Short mmCIF file of all heavy atoms in Angstrom, two decimals:
data_model
loop_
_atom_site.label_atom_id
_atom_site.label_comp_id
_atom_site.label_asym_id
_atom_site.label_seq_id
_atom_site.Cartn_x
_atom_site.Cartn_y
_atom_site.Cartn_z
N TYR V 1 -93.84 -11.60 94.51
CA TYR V 1 -93.70 -12.31 95.78
C TYR V 1 -92.76 -11.53 96.71
O TYR V 1 -93.02 -11.41 97.91
CB TYR V 1 -93.16 -13.70 95.50
CG TYR V 1 -92.97 -14.60 96.70
CD1 TYR V 1 -94.07 -15.16 97.35
CD2 TYR V 1 -91.70 -14.93 97.15
CE1 TYR V 1 -93.90 -16.01 98.42
CE2 TYR V 1 -91.52 -15.78 98.22
CZ TYR V 1 -92.62 -16.32 98.85
OH TYR V 1 -92.45 -17.17 99.92
N MET V 2 -91.66 -11.02 96.17
CA MET V 2 -90.72 -10.23 96.96
C MET V 2 -91.40 -8.99 97.53
O MET V 2 -91.24 -8.65 98.71
CB MET V 2 -89.53 -9.81 96.10
CG MET V 2 -88.57 -10.93 95.74
SD MET V 2 -87.49 -11.36 97.10
CE MET V 2 -86.53 -9.86 97.26
N ASP V 3 -92.19 -8.32 96.70
CA ASP V 3 -92.82 -7.06 97.11
C ASP V 3 -93.91 -7.27 98.15
O ASP V 3 -94.07 -6.44 99.07
CB ASP V 3 -93.40 -6.34 95.90
CG ASP V 3 -92.34 -5.80 94.96
OD1 ASP V 3 -91.17 -5.69 95.38
OD2 ASP V 3 -92.67 -5.50 93.80
N THR V 4 -94.64 -8.35 98.03
CA THR V 4 -95.83 -8.51 98.86
C THR V 4 -95.67 -9.47 100.04
O THR V 4 -96.37 -9.33 101.05
CB THR V 4 -97.00 -9.03 98.00
OG1 THR V 4 -96.65 -10.32 97.46
CG2 THR V 4 -97.31 -8.06 96.86
N THR V 5 -94.77 -10.46 99.91
CA THR V 5 -94.68 -11.50 100.94
C THR V 5 -93.27 -11.62 101.53
O THR V 5 -93.07 -11.44 102.73
CB THR V 5 -95.10 -12.86 100.35
OG1 THR V 5 -96.41 -12.75 99.79
CG2 THR V 5 -95.12 -13.94 101.43
N LEU V 6 -92.29 -11.95 100.69
CA LEU V 6 -90.95 -12.22 101.19
C LEU V 6 -90.29 -10.97 101.76
O LEU V 6 -89.73 -11.02 102.86
CB LEU V 6 -90.09 -12.81 100.08
CG LEU V 6 -88.65 -13.17 100.47
CD1 LEU V 6 -88.64 -14.23 101.55
CD2 LEU V 6 -87.86 -13.65 99.24
N GLY V 7 -90.33 -9.86 101.03
CA GLY V 7 -89.67 -8.65 101.49
C GLY V 7 -90.17 -8.18 102.84
O GLY V 7 -89.36 -7.96 103.77
N PRO V 8 -91.49 -8.02 103.02
CA PRO V 8 -92.00 -7.61 104.34
C PRO V 8 -91.63 -8.59 105.44
O PRO V 8 -91.32 -8.17 106.56
CB PRO V 8 -93.51 -7.55 104.13
CG PRO V 8 -93.67 -7.27 102.67
CD PRO V 8 -92.57 -8.01 102.00
N PHE V 9 -91.65 -9.90 105.14
CA PHE V 9 -91.32 -10.87 106.18
C PHE V 9 -89.85 -10.78 106.58
O PHE V 9 -89.51 -10.84 107.76
CB PHE V 9 -91.66 -12.30 105.73
CG PHE V 9 -91.40 -13.31 106.82
CD1 PHE V 9 -92.30 -13.47 107.86
CD2 PHE V 9 -90.24 -14.07 106.82
CE1 PHE V 9 -92.06 -14.37 108.89
CE2 PHE V 9 -89.99 -14.98 107.84
CZ PHE V 9 -90.91 -15.12 108.88
N ILE V 10 -88.96 -10.65 105.59
CA ILE V 10 -87.53 -10.53 105.90
C ILE V 10 -87.27 -9.28 106.73
O ILE V 10 -86.52 -9.32 107.72
CB ILE V 10 -86.69 -10.52 104.60
CG1 ILE V 10 -86.68 -11.91 103.96
CG2 ILE V 10 -85.27 -10.05 104.88
CD1 ILE V 10 -85.93 -11.97 102.65
N LEU V 11 -87.88 -8.17 106.35
CA LEU V 11 -87.71 -6.94 107.13
C LEU V 11 -88.22 -7.14 108.56
O LEU V 11 -87.58 -6.70 109.53
CB LEU V 11 -88.45 -5.78 106.46
CG LEU V 11 -88.39 -4.43 107.18
CD1 LEU V 11 -86.95 -3.97 107.38
CD2 LEU V 11 -89.19 -3.38 106.42
N ASN V 12 -89.32 -7.84 108.70
CA ASN V 12 -89.90 -8.08 110.01
C ASN V 12 -88.96 -8.92 110.88
O ASN V 12 -88.60 -8.54 112.00
CB ASN V 12 -91.25 -8.79 109.84
CG ASN V 12 -92.04 -8.87 111.13
OD1 ASN V 12 -91.50 -9.07 112.21
ND2 ASN V 12 -93.36 -8.75 111.02
N VAL V 13 -88.53 -10.07 110.38
CA VAL V 13 -87.77 -11.00 111.21
C VAL V 13 -86.34 -10.51 111.45
O VAL V 13 -85.79 -10.71 112.54
CB VAL V 13 -87.80 -12.42 110.60
CG1 VAL V 13 -86.88 -12.55 109.40
CG2 VAL V 13 -87.45 -13.46 111.66
N THR V 14 -85.72 -9.86 110.47
CA THR V 14 -84.37 -9.34 110.70
C THR V 14 -84.41 -8.17 111.68
O THR V 14 -83.51 -8.03 112.52
CB THR V 14 -83.70 -8.91 109.38
OG1 THR V 14 -84.54 -7.99 108.69
CG2 THR V 14 -83.43 -10.10 108.49
N SER V 15 -85.44 -7.35 111.58
CA SER V 15 -85.59 -6.26 112.55
C SER V 15 -85.86 -6.82 113.94
O SER V 15 -85.32 -6.32 114.94
CB SER V 15 -86.73 -5.33 112.12
OG SER V 15 -86.47 -4.75 110.86
N GLY V 16 -86.67 -7.88 114.01
CA GLY V 16 -86.93 -8.50 115.30
C GLY V 16 -85.66 -9.05 115.93
O GLY V 16 -85.43 -8.90 117.14
N ALA V 17 -84.82 -9.69 115.12
CA ALA V 17 -83.56 -10.23 115.63
C ALA V 17 -82.64 -9.12 116.10
O ALA V 17 -81.99 -9.23 117.16
CB ALA V 17 -82.88 -11.06 114.54
N LEU V 18 -82.57 -8.03 115.34
CA LEU V 18 -81.70 -6.91 115.71
C LEU V 18 -82.19 -6.24 116.99
O LEU V 18 -81.41 -5.96 117.91
CB LEU V 18 -81.66 -5.89 114.57
CG LEU V 18 -80.86 -4.60 114.83
CD1 LEU V 18 -79.40 -4.93 115.09
CD2 LEU V 18 -81.00 -3.64 113.67
N LEU V 19 -83.48 -5.99 117.08
CA LEU V 19 -84.03 -5.33 118.27
C LEU V 19 -83.89 -6.22 119.51
O LEU V 19 -83.63 -5.72 120.61
CB LEU V 19 -85.49 -4.95 118.04
CG LEU V 19 -85.70 -3.81 117.04
CD1 LEU V 19 -87.18 -3.71 116.65
CD2 LEU V 19 -85.20 -2.49 117.61
N CYS V 20 -84.04 -7.51 119.33
CA CYS V 20 -83.87 -8.44 120.45
C CYS V 20 -82.42 -8.44 120.92
O CYS V 20 -82.13 -8.44 122.12
CB CYS V 20 -84.31 -9.84 120.05
SG CYS V 20 -84.31 -11.02 121.41
N SER V 21 -81.49 -8.42 119.96
CA SER V 21 -80.08 -8.36 120.31
C SER V 21 -79.77 -7.10 121.11
O SER V 21 -79.04 -7.14 122.11
CB SER V 21 -79.22 -8.39 119.03
OG SER V 21 -77.86 -8.16 119.33
N GLN V 22 -80.34 -5.98 120.69
CA GLN V 22 -80.09 -4.73 121.40
C GLN V 22 -80.73 -4.75 122.79
O GLN V 22 -80.14 -4.27 123.77
CB GLN V 22 -80.64 -3.56 120.58
CG GLN V 22 -79.89 -3.34 119.27
CD GLN V 22 -80.58 -2.34 118.36
OE1 GLN V 22 -81.75 -1.99 118.57
NE2 GLN V 22 -79.88 -1.88 117.33
N ALA V 23 -81.93 -5.31 122.87
CA ALA V 23 -82.67 -5.28 124.14
C ALA V 23 -82.11 -6.28 125.15
O ALA V 23 -82.01 -5.97 126.35
CB ALA V 23 -84.15 -5.57 123.88
N LEU V 24 -81.74 -7.49 124.68
CA LEU V 24 -81.31 -8.55 125.60
C LEU V 24 -79.80 -8.67 125.72
O LEU V 24 -79.30 -9.15 126.74
CB LEU V 24 -81.88 -9.90 125.16
CG LEU V 24 -83.24 -10.31 125.72
CD1 LEU V 24 -84.32 -9.31 125.32
CD2 LEU V 24 -83.61 -11.71 125.24
N CYS V 25 -79.06 -8.26 124.69
CA CYS V 25 -77.62 -8.53 124.64
C CYS V 25 -76.78 -7.26 124.55
O CYS V 25 -75.57 -7.34 124.31
CB CYS V 25 -77.27 -9.41 123.45
SG CYS V 25 -78.37 -10.80 123.14
N SER V 26 -77.40 -6.09 124.67
CA SER V 26 -76.70 -4.82 124.48
C SER V 26 -75.97 -4.78 123.14
O SER V 26 -74.94 -4.13 123.00
CB SER V 26 -75.69 -4.59 125.61
OG SER V 26 -76.36 -4.45 126.85
N GLY V 27 -76.51 -5.50 122.15
CA GLY V 27 -75.92 -5.51 120.82
C GLY V 27 -74.69 -6.37 120.68
O GLY V 27 -74.06 -6.38 119.62
N HIS V 28 -74.33 -7.15 121.72
CA HIS V 28 -73.11 -7.94 121.69
C HIS V 28 -73.38 -9.44 121.60
O HIS V 28 -72.50 -10.26 121.88
CB HIS V 28 -72.26 -7.67 122.94
CG HIS V 28 -71.87 -6.24 123.08
ND1 HIS V 28 -71.37 -5.49 122.04
CD2 HIS V 28 -71.91 -5.40 124.16
CE1 HIS V 28 -71.11 -4.27 122.46
NE2 HIS V 28 -71.44 -4.18 123.73
N GLY V 29 -74.59 -9.80 121.22
CA GLY V 29 -74.94 -11.20 121.11
C GLY V 29 -76.17 -11.39 120.26
O GLY V 29 -76.76 -10.42 119.77
N ARG V 30 -76.57 -12.62 120.09
CA ARG V 30 -77.70 -12.98 119.23
C ARG V 30 -78.74 -13.70 120.07
O ARG V 30 -78.41 -14.56 120.89
CB ARG V 30 -77.19 -13.88 118.10
CG ARG V 30 -78.24 -14.25 117.06
CD ARG V 30 -77.59 -15.04 115.93
NE ARG V 30 -76.66 -14.20 115.17
CZ ARG V 30 -75.35 -14.43 115.11
NH1 ARG V 30 -74.82 -15.45 115.75
NH2 ARG V 30 -74.58 -13.63 114.40
N CYS V 31 -80.00 -13.35 119.89
CA CYS V 31 -81.07 -13.99 120.64
C CYS V 31 -81.32 -15.41 120.13
O CYS V 31 -81.33 -15.65 118.92
CB CYS V 31 -82.35 -13.18 120.55
SG CYS V 31 -82.30 -11.64 121.49
N ALA V 32 -81.53 -16.32 121.05
CA ALA V 32 -81.87 -17.70 120.71
C ALA V 32 -83.02 -18.14 121.60
O ALA V 32 -83.05 -17.84 122.80
CB ALA V 32 -80.67 -18.62 120.91
N ARG V 33 -83.94 -18.85 121.04
CA ARG V 33 -85.18 -19.22 121.72
C ARG V 33 -84.91 -20.13 122.91
O ARG V 33 -84.08 -21.04 122.86
CB ARG V 33 -86.08 -19.95 120.72
CG ARG V 33 -87.45 -20.28 121.22
CD ARG V 33 -88.33 -20.76 120.08
NE ARG V 33 -87.70 -21.84 119.34
CZ ARG V 33 -87.99 -22.13 118.07
NH1 ARG V 33 -88.86 -21.41 117.40
NH2 ARG V 33 -87.40 -23.13 117.47
N ARG V 34 -85.60 -19.87 123.99
CA ARG V 34 -85.52 -20.75 125.17
C ARG V 34 -86.27 -22.05 124.88
O ARG V 34 -87.29 -22.06 124.19
CB ARG V 34 -86.12 -20.06 126.39
CG ARG V 34 -85.35 -18.82 126.84
CD ARG V 34 -85.96 -18.22 128.09
NE ARG V 34 -85.29 -16.99 128.48
CZ ARG V 34 -84.18 -16.93 129.22
NH1 ARG V 34 -83.64 -18.06 129.66
NH2 ARG V 34 -83.63 -15.77 129.53
N SER V 35 -85.76 -23.14 125.45
CA SER V 35 -86.33 -24.45 125.16
C SER V 35 -87.77 -24.60 125.65
O SER V 35 -88.53 -25.40 125.11
CB SER V 35 -85.46 -25.54 125.80
OG SER V 35 -85.37 -25.35 127.21
N ASN V 36 -88.15 -23.81 126.66
CA ASN V 36 -89.52 -23.92 127.17
C ASN V 36 -90.51 -23.05 126.40
O ASN V 36 -91.67 -22.93 126.79
CB ASN V 36 -89.56 -23.58 128.66
CG ASN V 36 -89.04 -22.19 128.97
OD1 ASN V 36 -88.36 -21.57 128.14
ND2 ASN V 36 -89.35 -21.69 130.15
N HIS V 37 -90.04 -22.44 125.29
CA HIS V 37 -90.93 -21.67 124.41
C HIS V 37 -90.66 -22.09 122.96
O HIS V 37 -90.20 -21.28 122.15
CB HIS V 37 -90.72 -20.17 124.58
CG HIS V 37 -91.23 -19.63 125.88
ND1 HIS V 37 -92.56 -19.28 126.06
CD2 HIS V 37 -90.62 -19.43 127.07
CE1 HIS V 37 -92.73 -18.86 127.30
NE2 HIS V 37 -91.57 -18.94 127.94
N PRO V 38 -90.96 -23.35 122.62
CA PRO V 38 -90.56 -23.89 121.32
C PRO V 38 -91.23 -23.26 120.11
O PRO V 38 -90.78 -23.45 118.99
CB PRO V 38 -90.92 -25.38 121.44
CG PRO V 38 -92.01 -25.42 122.46
CD PRO V 38 -91.68 -24.36 123.43
N GLU V 39 -92.31 -22.51 120.32
CA GLU V 39 -93.02 -21.91 119.20
C GLU V 39 -92.69 -20.43 119.02
O GLU V 39 -93.19 -19.79 118.08
CB GLU V 39 -94.54 -22.07 119.39
CG GLU V 39 -95.01 -23.50 119.57
CD GLU V 39 -94.59 -24.39 118.41
OE1 GLU V 39 -94.69 -23.95 117.24
OE2 GLU V 39 -94.14 -25.53 118.66
N ALA V 40 -91.87 -19.86 119.89
CA ALA V 40 -91.59 -18.43 119.82
C ALA V 40 -90.79 -18.08 118.57
O ALA V 40 -89.88 -18.80 118.17
CB ALA V 40 -90.81 -18.00 121.06
N LEU V 41 -91.15 -16.97 117.95
CA LEU V 41 -90.46 -16.47 116.78
C LEU V 41 -90.12 -15.00 116.99
O LEU V 41 -90.78 -14.29 117.75
CB LEU V 41 -91.33 -16.61 115.52
CG LEU V 41 -91.67 -18.03 115.07
CD1 LEU V 41 -92.66 -17.99 113.91
CD2 LEU V 41 -90.43 -18.82 114.68
N LEU V 42 -89.08 -14.55 116.29
CA LEU V 42 -88.67 -13.15 116.38
C LEU V 42 -89.46 -12.30 115.39
O LEU V 42 -88.90 -11.62 114.52
CB LEU V 42 -87.16 -13.03 116.15
CG LEU V 42 -86.29 -13.54 117.30
CD1 LEU V 42 -84.84 -13.67 116.86
CD2 LEU V 42 -86.41 -12.60 118.51
#
């Protein structure tokens, strides 16, 4: 499960959070979903 499902997903979402932080916060903050986009995921 780790090799095929969990590992790839964790790498995906943690990378998404890091890249969003760099793109939106210059690396000095954490991205949080806007209330008008309740289904958005990183």
